[in-house]
Amino acid sequence: EKTDKEFINDEILKTLEVFYHTQEKEVSELFYVSLDKKNTLSFPKVDSLVNYEILYDELDYIIKNKKSYVGRPYLDSSDGFSFNMAEPVVVNGGIIGVIFGKIKLENMYKLLVEPVKAGEYGYAAVKNINGEILMHPVKSHIGGNMVSFREEKHPDLDLRELNKLLNKQRTEEEGFYIYNSY
């Protein structure tokens, strides 16, 4: 009795709900966006502002490349960083839309990074290649640049070891480096 569109929407909403409940520690919101960008669904129902510009840019990437996608971190409406994981929805061999899972970096920090300790006072933080802090135990540091933040707060601090760390991260594929800060 349902049209194909109604049936597909019901199935997508059921899928969003089931996936959300199995991954709610990692995924904060799920969205479905149709290829024409006229049909959007979400679970849980989103009352907050959704940055559809980011979703649409990522949708365009998926349409062009026809594969899953992990987006770049962005500052979301809750003053924290998030990123989207996107998966094409395929029906009868064709992509009809994309499901996006919004991942809050704060949740990932608590699950994966916070337990990592370096020495007695050390901690783990996550930054991008430009040195912008994405995950940190002090929320007010998130979004700042790890070098300029320290230069402003501690102008007499010797930052050679920190700069060496940043250089190693830019030039080496993987590894570790412990530096002494203050």
Side-chain angles (χ1 to χ4, degrees):
E1 296 175 358
K2 294 181 179 183
T3 66
D4 286 346
K5 183 179 178 181
E6 289 172 336
F7 176 76
I8 289 171
N9 282 354
D10 287 347
E11 291 302 308
I12 290 171
L13 273 173
K14 286 178 195 173
T15 301
L16 294 179
E17 182 177 4
V18 168
F19 186 77
Y20 177 82
H21 288 301
T22 62
Q23 303 295 320
E24 62 189 304
K25 287 184 179 178
E26 292 87 12
V27 177
S28 63
E29 297 165 10
L30 292 166
F31 302 94
Y32 166 77
V33 180
S34 63
L35 284 188
D36 62 9
K37 302 174 185 170
K38 293 180 180 176
N39 186 22
T40 59
L41 305 168
S42 65
F43 192 89
K45 199 70 171 160
V46 178
D47 295 327
S48 64
L49 295 173
V50 176
N51 192 331
Y52 283 103
E53 184 177 321
I54 291 172
L55 291 180
Y56 293 162
D57 285 347
E58 293 174 346
L59 176 73
D60 291 341
Y61 175 89
I62 292 168
I63 292 169
K64 179 181 175 186
N65 295 288
K66 300 184 180 5
K67 62 181 182 177
S68 303
Y69 177 73
V70 176
R72 295 175 186 234
Y74 60 90
L75 190 61
D76 67 24
S77 59
S78 66
D79 294 329
F81 281 91
S82 296
F83 69 94
N84 297 321
M85 295 181 72
E87 184 68 32
V89 176
V90 179
V91 174
N92 297 326
I95 297 175
I96 63 164
V98 175
I99 292 179
F100 295 92
K102 181 178 177 181
I103 312 294
K104 288 190 168 288
L105 292 182
E106 182 177 352
N107 294 353
M108 291 293 96
Y109 180 82
K110 288 177 184 172
L111 286 170
L112 302 173
V113 181
E114 188 174 58
V116 176
K117 302 293 181 199
E120 188 176 345
Y121 301 106
Y123 59 88
V126 177
K127 56 153 198 64
N128 66 15
I129 196 163
N130 299 319
E132 297 164 331
I133 299 169
L134 302 175
M135 299 181 199
H136 195 280
V138 179
K139 195 169 182 174
S140 64
H141 292 198
I142 297 172
N145 182 283
M146 66 186 296
V147 174
S148 58
F149 180 82
R150 284 171 176 79
E151 286 173 335
E152 290 169 15
K153 191 170 182 177
H154 306 283
D156 298 331
L157 197 61
D158 180 358
L159 297 175
R160 284 181 292 192
E161 285 190 44
L162 180 59
N163 282 312
K164 186 176 177 182
L165 167 67
L166 287 173
N167 189 49
K168 287 176 79 57
Q169 291 176 327
R170 287 185 182 116
T171 59
E172 296 180 15
E173 285 189 31
E174 63 181 58
F176 70 93
Y177 178 76
I178 297 175
Y179 75 96
N180 295 303
S181 60
Y182 32 91

